[in-house]
Amino acid sequence: MINTKYYTFVRAGTQRARFRNRMLRSNQLITSTPKLLRKFFSSKSSSVLHRPSSEELEVLERSKNLLVMATSCKIKDQFHEFFPEMLRCFKNSPPLQELPSMQEWIKKIVEYNLKGGKMNRGMAVVESFIILKNHQISEEEKNTAIALGWAVEMLQAFFLVADDIMDNSLTRRMKPCWYHTNNLGVKAFNDAILLESLIYQIVSSYCKNKHYYLPVLELFHDVTMRTSLGQAMDLHSAPNSNEAPDLGKFTVETYDAIVKYKTAYYSFYLPVAIAMRLAGIQDNVLFKRAEDILLPMGRFFQVQDDYLDCFGDPEITGKIGTDIEDGKCSWLIVTALPMCDSTQRQLVEAHYGLKNTESVNLVKSLYQQLNIPNLYTEYEERSYKELTQMIEGMKHQLPTSIFQGFMEKIYKRLN
């Protein structure tokens, strides 16, 4: 049984430490960046038109990176500070004005399920928009981007609440899953539906009279459907209760389809596509170019997630992995099955999908025997290099810093 108080204590301490470090890092970056710029512009050679030297280019690149990092730290604080505005937005909606008794329940659902995560998806909307606008945005534009970032986080919360129920998960973000609280059980499914409905309250409140209102609305509808289809494929590949999984369904092709629709669209493509719409980009070719790199990035992310589900530390990941018990079509099993000899295959058939510690440990031991952790490390390095090359190839069409920002957040991640 998980010690909830312990995890809450660890989480609180970790958050305080991260906040202090973030503020210190932000101040250091803001202080050091002008010094670097002065160094460049005080250079004798920089006072006339010439081809910059490698040293000068390095100083400029470092300065640019420092500015991006400093801006990111500042945006993160602004993103969190905007949260009460979201609650006011919901409270002032006509349905909740008519049902004041539900206002506190909505607040409880939202605060429990949106706070505590890394907010990478929501932050990506704001960061991508600022980059696309070359850091020239008004206060209103910034607030709209932040609000839509929270809408993406709301979509994430909607999926997670439902997913935890379907997977019988125990913890999420180092605390009990929502359906394990307030004696909810399956009634929490309705709260997931409520979370989805709040997405459109945000979009309507902040975009109703804007030229991008319909495109943004369609993005959310399209990505929600795609993600739901991915979840359906994931569920259909898993066994029913008290049944063994059909290992014949566990192929790389099936896995890639699940990952593309269940994870990549809403976690990677959606935030950037929203930012592009806000920035006034309408060229469908550019949206396709962004999609072509963001979907493989989503696969990279999901493979990491599958690995951490099995070999990650719950104190760091914030959840106890259950992919083996649930008989999930994960990267580990689709990688392991083609490598199994007949004896190993029999072990998988006998134990994969069973909800007992002995079976889980036997499957994990088999993964070790098949060298899956090392194969994962090789995959991570290979994918990182391929994605980096793809980003470089896009530099004349979209700002590469958008995609580099994603890679910096997910490469070698532990949670």
Side-chain angles (χ1 to χ4, degrees), residues 14-69:
T14 302
Q15 286 180 325
R16 286 194 295 270
R18 285 177 178 171
F19 178 79
R20 288 194 299 270
N21 291 338
R22 187 171 70 247
M23 292 302 296
L24 177 61
R25 187 168 65 252
S26 180
N27 291 335
Q28 289 173 337
L29 293 173
I30 293 169
T31 301
S32 63
T33 298
K35 293 178 182 178
L36 285 166
L37 292 173
R38 283 198 299 272
K39 176 182 176 182
F40 174 77
F41 288 114
S42 64
S43 161
K44 292 181 180 180
S45 61
S46 66
S47 62
V48 295
L49 292 175
H50 75 295
R51 183 182 296 277
S53 68
S54 59
E55 182 181 356
E56 289 168 344
L57 288 172
E58 183 180 348
V59 170
L60 280 177
E61 184 64 24
R62 187 179 171 197
S63 300
K64 182 177 71 174
N65 290 339
L66 287 170
L67 281 170
V68 170
M69 292 171 66

Side-chain angles (χ1 to χ4, degrees), residues 31-310:
T31 301
S32 63
T33 298
K35 293 178 182 178
L36 285 166
L37 292 173
R38 283 198 299 272
K39 176 182 176 182
F40 174 77
F41 288 114
S42 64
S43 161
K44 292 181 180 180
S45 61
S46 66
S47 62
V48 295
L49 292 175
H50 75 295
R51 183 182 296 277
S53 68
S54 59
E55 182 181 356
E56 289 168 344
L57 288 172
E58 183 180 348
V59 170
L60 280 177
E61 184 64 24
R62 187 179 171 197
S63 300
K64 182 177 71 174
N65 290 339
L66 287 170
L67 281 170
V68 170
M69 292 171 66
T71 301
S72 180
C73 291
K74 183 179 178 181
I75 291 169
K76 189 165 188 177
D77 293 334
Q78 293 173 335
F79 193 81
H80 285 279
E81 289 165 2
F82 200 79
F83 188 78
E85 182 61 32
M86 288 293 94
L87 296 179
R88 282 192 290 272
C89 171
F90 304 145
K91 185 177 180 180
N92 293 332
S93 67
L96 285 178
Q97 287 287 303
E98 297 168 12
L99 297 169
S101 62
M102 290 302 298
Q103 291 178 13
E104 279 302 310
W105 183 245
I106 289 292
K107 180 181 178 183
K108 193 171 185 177
I109 297 169
V110 171
E111 287 188 331
Y112 192 93
N113 292 292
L114 267 74
K115 288 186 174 181
K118 296 184 287 294
M119 305 295 171
N120 284 340
R121 295 167 181 83
M123 288 282 295
V125 175
V126 189
E127 292 170 347
S128 300
F129 176 61
I130 289 174
I131 292 170
L132 287 166
K133 295 284 286 185
N134 199 25
H135 295 259
Q136 303 297 314
I137 62 170
S138 67
E139 189 72 12
E140 182 184 357
E141 288 176 324
K142 182 193 72 177
N143 287 341
T144 299
I146 291 174
L148 292 178
W150 276 114
V152 173
E153 290 297 326
M154 196 72 68
L155 184 66
Q156 159 85 338
F158 154 53
F159 288 139
L160 294 185
V161 170
D163 191 60
D164 286 341
I165 298 171
M166 289 181 276
D167 288 350
N168 293 312
S169 298
L170 300 175
T171 60
R172 173 71 64 180
R173 294 170 177 168
M174 295 186 176
K175 58 187 180 183
C177 296
W178 175 245
Y179 78 100
H180 277 306
T181 69
N182 303 289
N183 198 32
L184 284 170
V186 295
K187 289 185 288 186
F189 262 120
N190 194 67
D191 294 334
I193 296 169
L194 285 172
L195 286 169
E196 184 192 14
S197 70
L198 294 176
I199 296 167
Y200 304 106
Q201 178 65 33
I202 296 173
V203 176
S204 177
S205 296
Y206 288 89
C207 306
K208 190 66 176 283
N209 299 317
K210 306 294 185 182
H211 66 86
Y212 46 72
Y213 174 57
L214 185 57
V216 168
L217 199 62
E218 288 178 338
L219 265 173
F220 273 104
H221 282 302
D222 179 66
V223 170
T224 299
M225 181 176 182
R226 289 177 187 273
T227 308
S228 300
L229 288 170
Q231 175 71 352
M233 287 188 288
D234 189 24
L235 292 170
H236 291 166
S237 69
N240 294 323
S241 181
N242 300 319
E243 289 183 4
D246 182 355
L247 299 180
K249 295 180 179 178
F250 289 6
T251 65
V252 172
E253 292 75 21
T254 298
Y255 177 78
D256 284 346
I258 292 172
V259 169
K260 177 180 177 180
Y261 285 90
K262 183 181 176 180
T263 300
Y265 271 107
Y266 93 91
S267 295
F268 289 84
Y269 176 69
L270 178 62
V272 176
I274 290 173
M276 291 171 69
R277 288 298 182 187
L278 293 184
I281 296 174
Q282 299 181 25
D283 187 346
N284 289 331
V285 173
L286 290 180
F287 281 93
K288 184 64 171 65
R289 291 288 288 127
E291 183 178 341
D292 287 344
I293 189 170
L294 291 165
L295 295 186
M297 206 175 285
R299 185 188 196 274
F300 178 79
F301 176 85
Q302 186 59 53
V303 171
Q304 288 178 317
D305 230 34
D306 292 351
Y307 180 80
L308 292 173
D309 182 274
C310 182

